[in-house]
Amino acid sequence: MIFEGQAVKVAVDDAGVATVTLDLAGESVNKFNSLTLSELSKAVDTLKQTDDLKGVVFASAKDVFVVGADITEFMTWFKLSDEELTDKLRDAHNIFNDISNLPCPTVAAINGIALGGGMELVLSCDYRVMADSAKIGLPETQLGIYPGWGGTVRLPRLIGVDNACEWICGGAQKRSADAMKDGAVDAVVALDKVQDSARHLIQQVMDGKLDYKARRDELRAPMVFTPIEKMMIFESVRGVVGAKAGKHYPAPMAAIKTMEKGISQSMDKAIETEIKGFIKLAKGPVAKSLVNLFLSDQAIKKTAGKLSKGATPVTQAAVLGAGIMGGGVAYQSASKGTPIIMKDIRQDALDLGLSEANKLFNGQVERGRLTTDKALKAMNGITPALSYGEFDHVDLVVEAVVENVNIKKSVLAEVEDKIAEDAILTSNTSTISITELAKALKRPENFCGMHFFNPVHRMPLVEVIRGEKTSDEAIAKTVAYAQAMGKTPVVVNDCPGFLVNRVLFPYFAGFSLMMQEGADFQVVDKTMERFGWPMGPAYLLDVVGVDTAYHADQVMADGFPDRMKHEGKNAVDRLFELERFGQKNGKGFYTYEPDRKGKPKKIFNEEINELLAPVVTSKTELSEEDIIARMMIPLCIETVRCLEEKIVSSAAEADMGLIYGIGFPPYLGGALHYLDQMGLQAFCDLADKYSHLGKLYEPTAKMREMAKNNETYYSA
């Protein structure tokens, strides 16, 4: 052993081949924190001073190679001055440059995930051997930055500009077959052969079969294009990436700009170009928001892990109520390996639920994500039932019948008698009080809410709702089941609408008020979509279902009459009366026709303006700023109320709930992060401009107090 630290060890064998082993003490994964970078630097210095080295293999003692930079530590870098951050980046570059300048061939033995800085270490080596089960990639654009340790410099030179732009701008983790096809690695082998294969490459250099020096020269040289070639490559890439990234996410376009400049420069100059562009992104608001989201996501997963610790896994689930939602729950459970009974009282509903699940499995097969055999096996995990025959073996039941308090109470009381005493009963209600539903049960401690979002297979969030009598054991088992289904559970306390719908309906109320003032819903939709929402409020209401929104609105009005009750008919009431329920029956604010793939395509018909005319009580001119403010203010204030009333435990859980549940624009980092970025005083001043619109636009007393004291929802 010629070097031994807490994260890096170096040993040299009898043939003069060194192995640098990454093994960060006390952690389950390798990551680049200050300790690892410092020790890697010392290890490379040791190698530089070692005589007669024949080659160096970079390997990992853990299941992963390197997952990337330690993001919590990396965030502190973003707060440094430009000069200090430049120095930090240069220090990291110096390590990787020293690796690429070692006087012998270097090989990365990629046994598992190599992402971000881990991938940049891989790129600094002469050769790369990858396990067939491993994944590699540069996901930095997903955090609002781009690779800052040589990724934009080395990757285009290795795999070509087109491929590098796709890898870096898309930020995806690449499987071994794709990495090999694009030329990012030199060999793909079984996991247990990775280090042997790396050693074999060094032997080939020693035998004169491979020329690592020629390869280095080639990969360091500026890339040569004619002006017309360069223009055609980058204009094409810019068009594709720009359309996908949109104006709110600058990192992918900044990465293209850096690569366009860097490929024609020497290695040293290209690194300086990368550093300069990186600093600009790192200091921007989008990076701050997206890094905060990443940390919030880690925090809520950690919280869920603590809550589910010790829970016995669900080995047999059941869902009551088939149809689209029941079929979605059944598919998600079976696809992740938990068998599920799908019960309904009608055969046609069961057929619809099975058809929905089958369609989703077929989609996975068509996309190459599942083999036909695996899809059939998973589909067999769904057992349709018209009776409670098999329910005595069920660990957890998801009730997903119609959103009506009396029907739900009746069904829940009925199923409680058919299941084991320790089985958990949950309701997939979107608004109805769990404490109220529990009144129909003999064992309310074994009951909680489990609110899925539609479509179940796409939406990552599950709200787990704690009623007054819900036990910790019931929460633990439900959280564990949500995790087993591949979902992100957030535990909230009971109230009308819980977290997501309680916050969403003031947003819809802001929209309804504008409609009463004669606003054009298409203009509102386009404005909010430009602002970053996946769909505007009118379109969202059509997707949710106008009938669903109408009933939920009544629950919210009863629960919070001081601010959610409205006088007279609004647009949702009017559409409900006209039986225009949205996508589900082909007409709502928009009308819908199937496109070529059979998906509903929205179409605007002039007749809707006439149909909505009775709800218009005045005509107000609204600017884009007015529309955004009138939609966002009630949503943000209601999110704060949920935090203040302890409906949700933390700012992170509130913000991730909105991002995962209703598509709150990620570049803003969530409602509470948005308030922090804007400044509470500035927000309160803005809300006061609209105070004439009612209590939904009134900040809470605590918000005003926090504003006065310059406090934030996230610690600085």
Side-chain angles (χ1 to χ4, degrees), residues 120-131:
E120 285 167 307
L121 167 59
V122 162
L123 289 171
S124 69
C125 294
D126 298 314
Y127 301 99
R128 285 150 287 280
V129 176
M130 184 175 181

Side-chain angles (χ1 to χ4, degrees), residues 202-486:
I202 289 170
Q203 188 61 49
Q204 286 187 295
V205 173
M206 289 161 69
D207 294 344
K209 292 175 184 173
L210 292 174
D211 186 346
Y212 79 95
K213 289 180 180 173
R215 172 176 267 217
R216 277 186 189 178
D217 291 343
E218 188 187 329
L219 292 176
R220 282 176 184 168
M223 298 176 80
V224 180
F225 295 100
T226 66
I228 191 81
E229 281 174 333
K230 197 170 178 183
M231 187 192 79
M232 284 175 72
I233 290 169
F234 282 100
E235 283 309 308
S236 164
V237 166
R238 256 192 288 272
V240 173
V241 172
K244 204 178 252 187
K247 64 174 184 175
H248 299 301
Y249 300 91
M253 297 300 277
I256 292 170
K257 189 178 174 185
T258 293
M259 283 187 276
E260 184 175 17
K261 199 171 177 185
I263 57 169
S264 304
Q265 296 175 320
S266 67
M267 195 70 117
D268 290 347
K269 275 196 173 170
I271 284 169
E272 290 306 313
T273 298
E274 182 186 85
I275 288 172
K276 197 174 170 186
F278 181 92
I279 288 169
K280 192 176 174 188
L281 285 173
K283 295 299 181 77
V286 177
K288 195 167 186 182
S289 294
L290 295 180
V291 169
N292 186 68
L293 280 190
F294 176 83
L295 295 174
S296 294
D297 182 60
Q298 299 294 303
I300 65 170
K301 285 185 167 71
K302 201 171 178 181
T303 299
K306 283 179 186 168
L307 285 166
S308 63
K309 199 174 180 184
T312 50
V314 172
T315 56
Q316 177 66 63
V319 59
L320 298 178
I324 301 293
M325 182 57 89
V329 171
Y331 161 80
Q332 192 64 31
S333 187
S335 71
K336 295 295 182 182
T338 305
I340 187 164
I341 299 165
M342 182 167 59
K343 184 199 174 292
D344 207 288
I345 54 172
R346 296 183 355 259
Q347 185 63 48
D348 60 336
L350 280 179
D351 293 342
L352 178 63
L354 286 168
S355 165
E356 174 69 10
N358 197 39
K359 186 175 77 182
L360 293 168
F361 279 121
N362 285 338
Q364 292 287 74
V365 172
E366 282 164 24
R367 284 189 288 277
R369 291 178 186 165
L370 270 184
T371 63
T372 306
D373 285 352
K374 282 185 177 170
L376 278 170
K377 190 180 174 189
M379 188 69 194
N380 287 336
I382 303 173
T383 306
L386 290 166
S387 71
Y388 290 110
E390 299 292 317
F391 271 61
D392 52 344
H393 300 305
V394 166
D395 300 315
L396 184 145
V397 179
V398 180
E399 168 274 302
V401 303
V402 65
E403 188 77 349
N404 175 296
V405 66
N406 294 324
I407 294 172
K408 281 188 180 289
K409 278 184 171 180
S410 167
V411 169
L412 288 164
E414 183 180 75
V415 73
E416 188 182 35
D417 284 338
K418 313 290 182 186
I419 57 177
E421 288 209 356
D422 61 347
I424 304 302
L425 198 47
T426 73
S427 176
N428 176 44
T429 175
S430 53
T431 53
I432 301 168
S433 164
I434 294 302
T435 301
E436 180 58 36
L437 289 175
K439 288 176 183 174
L441 300 173
K442 297 170 192 162
R443 299 187 292 276
E445 67 279 7
N446 286 355
F447 174 64
C448 65
M450 192 176 192
H451 178 209
F452 292 88
F453 292 78
N454 210 7
V456 176
H457 66 288
R458 283 220 186 101
M459 301 298 277
L461 181 70
V462 170
E463 280 182 302
V464 176
I465 305 110
R466 189 191 288 274
E468 271 178 23
K469 295 185 177 176
T470 304
S471 68
D472 289 345
E473 290 75 20
I475 293 294
K477 194 144 192 156
T478 307
V479 166
Y481 180 49
Q483 289 172 312
M485 291 174 92

Side-chain angles (χ1 to χ4, degrees), residues 513-519 613-621 630:
L513 279 170
M514 285 190 282
M515 291 291 292
Q516 282 174 279
E517 293 176 25
V615 305
V616 179
T617 56
S618 63
K619 191 73 184 167
T620 308
E621 283 298 316
R630 289 180 62 161

